[in-house]
Amino acid sequence: MNRLNHLPTLRINPSEKRSLTYRGKSYWGFAGDTVATALFANGVRVFGRSLKYHRPRGLYSLDGECSNTCMQVDGIPNVRTENTPLKEGMRVKGQNVKGSAQFDWMGFMDKLDWLMPAGFYYRTMHKPAAVWPIAMKQVRKAAGLGTLSPDFEMKGLFDEIYPTADICVIGGGVAGMRAALAAAESGLRIILLEARPHLGGCFDYRVSPYNDDKKLYERARELADQVRQKDNIRVFTHTSMVGAYNNNLITAFQVGKEQDEFDERYIEIRAVSVVVATGCIERPLLFEHNEKPGVMQVGCAHRLAHTYGLLPGEQAVFSVGHDLGLEAAVDLFDLGLKIPCVADIRKDGQDPRLLMALVERRIPLLNGWVAAKVHGGKQVKKVTLTTVEGTVRRMIPCDLLVASAGLTPVNGPLTLAHAKLVYDSHTGYFLPTDLPEKMFAAGRMTGRNHPLSIEASGRLAGLQAAASYGVNNKTALAEAETALSGLPGPERGCKLVTAPVKGRKTFICFDEDTTVKNIKQAIDMGFDVPELIKRFTSAGTGPGQGGIPGHNLPLYVAQYTASTTPPKPTTVRPPLVPTFLATYAGTNHDMCKRTPVHDAQVKAGGIFRRIGVWQRARYFSGDFDCREDILNVRNNVGLLDASTLGKFRIHGPEALKALQRVYVSDMSKIKEGRIKYSAMCNDDGCVIDDGVVVKTGENDYYFTTSTGRACVTVEWIRYHTRFDGWDFHLVNLTDAMGVVNISGPNARKVLEKVADADVSNVAFPFAGYREFTVKGLIPVRAMRLGFVGELSYELHIPSSWMPAIWDILEEAGREFGIRNFGVEAQNVLRMEKGHIILGQESEQRTNLLDLGLGFLWDRTKNEAKTVGAVALRQAEADPGRLTLVGIQMEDNARAPKDGSIIVDDRVRGYVCTARKSFTTGEAVGMALVESQLSDIGARLDIFEDECNGRLLYARVVSMPFYDPEGQRMKI
Amino acid sequence: MALTLTCPVCGKRNGYEFRYGGEDKGPRPAEKGLTPRSWCDYVHMNKCVAGIQKEWWYHKDGCGSWFTTHRDTVRNLEVNEPEAPK
């Protein structure tokens, strides 16, 4: 098909070709085309089949208000091809068809409409009950939209941004642009959203004169240039606003252009004031076969020609109710479209200049006439016109019917913002009566249609928004008000909803195949409110989000029921336009941290698992029991990366008071050069954290927390001291410091080789804290701990030195056979010692006493108001609590799974950690059990997941299981 | 999600940056004389006002300060401190 390449309004670039494949054939389009316009240029007229009746469907609105042009593009179903930009190599397929869109074997369904009255899906096929499953299967096979293959994987990049703006203008037509420019005068930061790929709105494709020397499209482009030159206006094109929330939070989705890095992105705008200038859509005209391919709206036909260079047909009849229709007829006639006649629903009130233009072109105008029916198989061949009263009929051959009842405002954004919409009998629009705080409406949606009025209302709204932001612009505001009042106000609109027809094939909702007859049936059955009729007939619940039936439905219901109360629109909800779930999901949010020695552990064969925000090496071989690693720590020496520990400095004159508040122990007893192990509880006395504290100087402490608590420790301490105003400072050193744990009987031999200090048992005893350097350079904070039950040093080193010290220790330990051990090996080693890990040997309700850690709690420091102390005092007297005990399996062959429950006639506790110990040869573990079962020797019945009723049995034993005297860590 | 809050250090910021810290119930009571019930009331019981209440917020993705502010729980908007009834 030849394009009208000479038009100055074109938005395609005829020098840049883009290819697509459809039904095995390759087609060409141009940059700037949508998928649908490219197919249309290649002769495709039937784009898809309807939901129930498999009726052929074609281009209708070009703005995605219906599912007519929904197709499968690159494997993604339900893509609205009419507003999806064409990209190189797209693969397009029809959907909901047996065969093809052109020849659909299911086409016979259209003849069966008498079988499917309103609500048939709810009312029939369920008696007898056995029918329903069969019927449902058949219905679902025959009806529907696109299908998603089970192995489908969404490709592409889905971005998200959260910009703030002083003023957000929704709608990039002339009203929106004038509003943005007016508000930008005072230097405010403006965000301008436009759903189409370019600014200009309804001026963009029109060549009627704006004034003596400019046409409308030239004016639009002039304004767009002015907008672009303003540094303080940020423009988002191809961005559909989908949600409005209180506090003027606006959400939108932007479709990526070819050169953009993202395919689609979520935009959440926090604006102080908002201007809504979303304009109008056409209200569909209701008549028989009103959605047959070849019937399209005025704007669709007009834009096909002027934006995409495609003449929409050869011979066209117009049936319109608005001056835009007459303008399009004149304009398309000049481009070569044959027009046998134009039917105008209105009997008078047309723009005299347009009437003159029609006369000049000898296009007959039928005032008070409307289309009643189109004829033809898959495409329009003839149209029957009738007077509005239905008295006279006339049939005219044509291949295109441009049909539109009138205009109706896009007021979804106002509804979302809880504005009240009231039917206005002058314009026939639903207009807002009380706009929310700091929200303003402008442009065509207010009923104004004169180009100068549209602009003036935009400017006024922009200034009002700026004033509501706090700008003092009284003079400009008064001038803008005067200017607008001198211009034509809201115009009288066409009220006709339906042609004088019975409505068996008059579709009020295209997406759901709902006819006017269906609506009548619903009303006759007693549904009298549009909201209920909508649900019963499913009109307006399809992918077009109610774009086609949105305002026709309440208007028709009011008309048919001869209601005395004014019609009310049905509720709209976000998202206002269909969007990908992928865009909501955004890009991968699962970001995790790696320790400074991640790479070294990868090289050593580490198998990593996610722990909190971290990736940690859990195993170092395929043996997930970690036998070799464990025995190496017990008999030799092992190296563990513990950098994920929370590490903090607290200093200042009142630092100790803060520590006393959150730690259960008496922290004033910390001795220099010694470590203090303690725990933090919450206000219920439940343990939330444990770790060690050292004193590094006067009023200066360094402490560790568990991995999972690192991110909330600062918050926790400041929360519980928030009323006190104490003078202390907290520094989170978690990422600044790394931690190496070197454990095993040979640990000292390794450390001796590299440390610049005496690390003998006398100089650096168990529970000691020392600061020294390694190799004369690397500063180390060393603690002697016993978590794994062997001679063990925990070295805290600045992160940047971590890879170096890791290499140094591995090198020094090579002669002893040092090897890495992972988190699982550590887990078993400490379990053999009966040392707890919070979250494993505890859950939310486990308090300090349950864990047998009551010795940590200092009861004398009442003045400190220690967090948890009051609750602990109360819990002491509570007999109905769980107690942590050691267990040994009666059958030492294997341990139960972690988390298995302990039962008799009810649940009595659960196994926290249990392993087969390689050190002792026994299957042992720790369990939280009711205190009645906690005596040594008590027998426990363990119900393991998937055990099929075969219980496991254990006995309560004393802990620790290994080295009960604790000699080995003190050597 | 539409909430914005005014941090005393960082100014008006997106509500996502903050963590709720509960209604303002005043400083921790002295331990002496506390009954299990009065303690439990302090820790767990809330007024759940439908209207304006004073509450604590933490600027977790910002400066890390705890501060109090007034919020209209019906509209979920931060508001000025209401004038004391005369």
Side-chain angles (χ1 to χ4, degrees):
Chain A
M1 188 174 182
N2 286 333
R3 301 269 185 142
L4 306 162
N5 279 346
H6 61 284
L7 297 179
T9 50
L10 286 188
R11 290 293 186 176
I12 53 164
N13 182 355
S15 60
E16 271 189 65
K17 279 188 169 182
R18 298 282 182 272
S19 74
L20 78 160
T21 53
Y22 175 53
R23 301 189 53 211
K25 275 191 214 150
S26 211
Y27 294 108
W28 291 103
F30 299 111
D33 259 325
T34 67
V35 177
T37 58
L39 288 172
F40 191 89
N42 288 287
V44 175
R45 292 294 178 271
V46 181
F47 285 77
R49 293 283 173 154
S50 67
L51 182 89
K52 289 196 284 194
Y53 301 141
H54 287 257
R55 288 171 64 87
R57 293 282 165 85
L59 269 188
Y60 186 77
S61 82
L62 274 192
D63 273 327
E65 290 141 16
C66 56
S67 63
N68 280 13
T69 55
C70 277
M71 298 174 102
Q72 185 174 319
V73 178
D74 292 337
I76 305 170
N78 305 334
V79 174
R80 297 174 305 156
T81 56
E82 64 192 52
N83 48 7
T84 301
L86 179 63
K87 290 179 188 170
E88 180 62 30
M90 278 180 156
R91 288 167 294 112
V92 183
K93 271 176 75 178
Q95 61 183 35
N96 193 30
V97 291
K98 291 249 178 341
S100 69
Q102 191 71 26
F103 303 100
D104 180 11
W105 291 107
M106 297 295 286
F108 68 89
M109 292 294 288
D110 193 23
K111 302 265 188 301
L112 302 181
D113 60 333
W114 55 275
L115 272 171
M116 298 176 246
F120 83 100
Y121 197 69
Y122 313 124
R123 294 192 296 131
T124 56
M125 302 189 292
H126 53 72
K127 266 181 198 169
V131 174
W132 175 243
I134 305 162
M136 185 180 67
K137 228 176 175 178
Q138 294 309 316
V139 168
R140 290 195 178 164
K141 233 189 262 175
L145 296 158
T147 48
L148 200 60
S149 79
D151 57 351
F152 175 77
E153 210 174 288
M154 192 76 176
K155 291 193 182 68
L157 207 126
F158 297 91
D159 196 14
E160 56 197 295
I161 53 171
Y162 298 80
T164 54
D166 297 328
I167 292 170
C168 177
V169 180
I170 304 163
V174 282
M177 287 195 283
R178 283 301 299 266
L181 287 167
E185 281 168 13
S186 37
L188 301 181
R189 295 167 307 156
I190 319 291
I191 283 179
L192 178 61
L193 305 178
E194 167 56 41
R196 289 185 188 155
H198 32 72
L199 296 173
C202 74
F203 278 26
D204 183 66
Y205 55 92
R206 287 161 67 191
V207 292
S208 301
Y210 168 74
N211 56 20
D212 290 342
D213 49 54
K214 250 180 265 160
K215 292 176 173 167
L216 289 175
Y217 81 90
E218 288 170 326
R219 174 61 180 164
R221 286 173 200 203
E222 180 184 53
L223 284 173
D225 280 340
Q226 288 178 19
V227 166
R228 238 167 263 129
Q229 279 160 18
K230 286 275 183 190
D231 289 337
N232 52 337
I233 304 180
R234 189 172 177 187
V235 180
F236 292 96
T237 52
H238 219 154
T239 303
S240 300
M241 179 271 195
V242 293
Y245 304 87
N246 73 342
N247 216 4
N248 281 338
L249 185 82
I250 306 293
T251 57
F253 287 86
Q254 182 173 27
V255 178
K257 291 193 279 291
E258 274 181 308
Q259 65 271 28
D260 283 326
E261 281 174 7
F262 58 88
D263 288 82
E264 223 179 67
R265 76 174 169 191
Y266 173 68
I267 305 177
E268 190 177 301
I269 303 154
R270 215 166 258 291
V272 176
S273 304
V274 172
V275 175
V276 182
T278 39
C280 287
I281 54 170
E282 284 167 60
R283 198 156 53 74
L285 181 62
L286 301 179
F287 55 93
E288 290 289 276
H289 304 286
N290 59 329
E291 35 62 277
K292 199 174 278 295
V295 178
M296 61 177 73
Q297 292 188 320
V298 173
C300 179
H302 211 167
R303 282 168 63 205
L304 267 183
H306 272 288
T307 305
Y308 301 104
L310 292 163
L311 211 52
E314 283 178 18
Q315 173 146 318
V317 171
F318 280 63
S319 174
V320 296
H322 194 271
D323 279 349
L324 282 179
L326 305 184
E327 185 184 318
V330 170
D331 193 24
L332 292 173
F333 180 87
D334 292 346
L335 293 179
L337 191 68
K338 290 191 211 93
I339 303 180
C341 76
V342 173
D344 194 330
I345 299 162
R346 299 168 297 172
K347 294 195 168 98
D348 53 48
Q350 294 98 333
D351 183 346
R353 282 176 307 174
L354 289 171
L355 294 178
M356 200 61 203
L358 288 170
V359 171
E360 280 166 11
R361 287 162 182 80
R362 301 191 181 163
I363 304 172
L365 175 70
L366 301 169
N367 282 331
W369 282 65
V370 64
K373 184 175 187 174
V374 293
H375 311 264
K378 295 193 182 80
Q379 246 173 290
V380 174
K381 293 213 172 75
K382 279 181 285 187
V383 58
T384 300
L385 295 177
T386 173
T387 55
V388 171
E389 295 79 19
T391 45
V392 191
R393 283 173 178 259
R394 190 186 291 176
M395 200 182 275
I396 301 169
C398 62
D399 67 340
L400 175 70
L401 175 69
V402 180
S404 172
L407 297 175
T408 198
V410 182
N411 44 23
L414 300 176
T415 322
L416 293 184
H418 301 292
K420 200 178 164 203
L421 297 178
V422 170
Y423 182 71
D424 176 66
S425 56
H426 176 62
T427 52
Y429 289 4
F430 293 104
L431 294 178
T433 50
D434 57 338
L435 282 168
E437 214 179 332
K438 297 189 181 182
M439 182 175 270
F440 305 89
R444 291 204 298 163
M445 69 187 311
T446 61
R448 293 181 175 84
N449 277 303
H450 192 280
L452 295 177
S453 304
I454 296 173
E455 283 199 31
S457 77
R459 177 171 167 75
L460 177 62
L463 291 172
Q464 284 170 328
S468 77
Y469 177 83
V471 172
N472 183 3
N473 55 2
K474 275 186 193 131
T475 331
L477 207 55
E479 279 169 19
E481 271 167 11
T482 321
L484 182 61
S485 62
L487 290 165
E491 280 175 21
R492 185 172 60 129
C494 168
K495 316 287 189 313
L496 183 105
V497 182
T498 168
V501 292
K502 290 208 176 106
R504 180 175 165 192
K505 293 288 180 191
T506 300
F507 288 85
I508 197 164
C509 177
F510 300 175
D511 297 0
E512 300 289 314
D513 268 349
T514 312
T515 61
V516 164
K517 192 180 163 193
N518 292 148
I519 305 294
K520 285 184 193 169
Q521 285 166 338
I523 294 170
D524 295 343
M525 273 184 263
F527 294 97
D528 52 353
V529 185
E531 289 284 3
L532 295 177
I533 295 167
K534 171 181 160 183
R535 279 154 183 79
F536 188 61
T537 62
S538 70
T541 61
Q545 302 281 81
I548 294 289
H551 289 166
N552 262 345
L553 180 66
L555 293 177
Y556 180 78
V557 172
Q559 190 192 66
Y560 183 71
T561 57
S563 164
T564 49
T565 51
K568 258 192 206 159
T570 53
T571 310
V572 296
R573 293 181 181 82
L576 286 181
V577 299
T579 40
F580 289 138
L581 286 175
T583 318
Y584 273 111
T587 42
N588 181 19
H589 293 98
D590 189 34
M591 288 178 278
C592 54
K593 297 207 275 190
R594 291 175 168 187
T595 72
V597 286
H598 184 88
D599 293 343
Q601 293 177 93
V602 170
K603 226 181 271 171
I607 297 169
F608 290 79
R609 293 285 184 270
R610 182 74 186 264
I611 295 178
V613 292
W614 295 92
Q615 285 284 340
R616 283 196 80 175
R618 188 161 185 97
Y619 314 101
F620 278 93
S621 72
D623 169 28
F624 286 0
D625 293 331
C626 303
R627 184 190 167 89
E628 293 304 315
D629 298 343
I630 291 166
L631 294 178
N632 189 55
V633 173
R634 287 276 178 252
N635 302 322
N636 189 14
V637 58
L639 200 57
L640 173 80
D641 171 26
S643 301
T644 63
L645 280 176
K647 298 168 283 289
F648 296 86
R649 179 188 175 200
I650 183 167
H651 64 108
E654 286 167 312
L656 181 60
K657 285 187 180 173
L659 292 176
Q660 291 283 48
R661 171 64 54 78
V662 294
Y663 278 108
V664 293
S665 311
D666 185 353
M667 306 312 277
S668 65
K669 290 183 182 158
I670 301 176
K671 294 190 198 84
E672 283 192 46
R674 296 280 292 174
I675 59 170
K676 171 108 184 147
Y677 171 76
S678 189
M680 296 191 207
C681 292
N682 64 15
D683 272 324
D684 298 324
C686 301
V687 192
I688 52 158
D689 198 9
D690 67 340
V692 297
V693 188
V694 295
K695 192 169 179 181
T696 54
E698 188 59 28
N699 294 327
D700 207 341
Y701 300 85
Y702 178 75
F703 63 95
T704 66
T705 71
S706 53
T707 301
R709 286 288 296 180
C711 54
V712 288
T713 296
V714 170
E715 176 184 338
W716 183 260
I717 295 179
R718 288 197 180 143
Y719 179 77
H720 286 288
T721 56
R722 69 197 190 283
F723 286 103
D724 302 291
W726 288 335
D727 184 3
F728 67 87
H729 303 278
L730 259 170
V731 190
N732 187 343
L733 296 170
T734 303
D735 295 333
M737 304 283 280
V739 178
V740 184
N741 187 305
I742 175 164
S743 299
N746 287 329
R748 184 176 294 120
K749 288 184 196 157
V750 178
L751 195 59
E752 265 169 356
K753 285 175 71 179
V754 298
D756 308 322
D758 182 0
V759 295
S760 66
N761 201 28
V762 178
F764 188 5
F766 178 69
Y769 170 74
R770 296 291 181 273
E771 292 175 8
F772 53 81
T773 55
V774 162
K775 298 260 183 190
L777 197 61
I778 305 174
V780 171
R781 295 174 163 186
M783 304 174 187
R784 258 194 80 179
L785 300 168
F787 193 47
V788 297
E790 300 295 338
L791 169 64
S792 173
Y793 298 91
E794 196 172 278
L795 310 178
H796 294 236
I797 301 127
S799 289
S800 51
W801 282 115
M802 277 292 284
I805 201 141
W806 194 262
D807 288 347
I808 289 169
L809 290 171
E810 286 206 311
E811 179 60 35
R814 186 162 296 148
E815 60 175 299
F816 308 105
I818 197 169
R819 55 189 286 167
N820 291 171
F821 66 106
V823 182
E824 173 58 21
Q826 184 201 31
N827 185 31
V828 179
L829 289 161
R830 64 92 204 174
M831 187 269 297
E832 289 170 350
K833 276 297 290 179
H835 290 153
I836 61 152
I837 291 180
L838 289 177
Q840 219 161 310
E841 272 67 50
S842 72
E843 36 100 358
Q844 283 186 51
R845 299 166 299 175
T846 311
N847 74 22
L848 194 71
L849 310 171
D850 302 344
L851 292 176
L853 294 177
F855 66 90
L856 292 175
W857 174 29
D858 185 293
R859 294 149 197 255
T860 60
K861 49 171 197 154
N862 293 359
E863 291 310 308
K865 296 184 190 171
T866 305
V867 181
V870 178
L872 284 175
R873 210 158 270 152
Q874 293 164 15
E876 273 186 309
D878 183 356
R881 300 196 60 88
L882 300 181
T883 304
L884 188 73
V885 295
I887 57 168
Q888 184 181 342
M889 303 305 292
E890 289 189 350
D891 176 5
N892 272 319
R894 75 173 184 97
K897 291 178 197 161
D898 293 353
S900 301
I901 51 174
I902 292 159
V903 295
D904 45 18
D905 53 342
R906 59 192 170 88
V907 179
R908 304 294 294 268
Y910 70 96
V911 176
C912 304
T913 313
R915 294 286 187 278
K916 167 92 185 186
S917 164
F918 300 115
T919 318
T920 66
E922 293 157 346
V924 290
M926 286 184 268
L928 275 164
V929 295
E930 288 183 9
S931 47
Q932 298 89 328
L933 293 178
S934 62
D935 296 335
I936 301 288
R939 191 170 196 243
L940 304 176
D941 303 359
I942 298 170
F943 183 95
E944 201 180 42
D945 209 13
E946 295 167 352
C947 68
N948 286 327
R950 282 196 298 278
L951 299 181
L952 302 171
Y953 301 96
R955 296 264 176 197
V956 174
V957 294
S958 64
M959 283 194 288
F961 311 110
Y962 173 73
D963 184 25
E965 286 81 37
Q967 294 306 315
R968 293 188 61 90
M969 47 196 191
K970 293 178 184 161
I971 58 172
Chain B
M1 82 186 205
L3 183 68
T4 46
L5 289 166
T6 310
C7 168
V9 180
C10 312
K12 187 173 166 181
R13 304 289 304 170
N14 199 322
Y16 292 139
E17 295 178 9
F18 299 88
R19 178 156 21 237
Y20 182 55
E23 293 172 8
D24 181 48
K25 303 177 195 173
R28 299 173 78 76
E31 288 186 15
K32 216 167 194 172
L34 276 180
T35 63
R37 172 161 290 266
S38 61
W39 176 246
C40 186
D41 284 353
Y42 174 75
V43 175
H44 293 297
M45 298 309 276
N46 293 296
K47 289 202 180 100
C48 300
V49 172
I52 296 169
Q53 72 175 14
K54 188 180 177 190
E55 53 196 29
W56 283 93
W57 286 87
Y58 177 65
H59 198 184
K60 69 180 161 72
D61 297 342
C63 60
S65 33
W66 278 102
F67 59 94
T68 54
T69 188
H70 289 83
R71 185 174 62 102
D72 182 343
T73 59
V74 176
R75 295 183 300 150
N76 194 25
L77 291 180
E78 190 183 33
V79 293
N80 292 327
E81 183 176 356
E83 283 176 29
K86 282 165 194 162

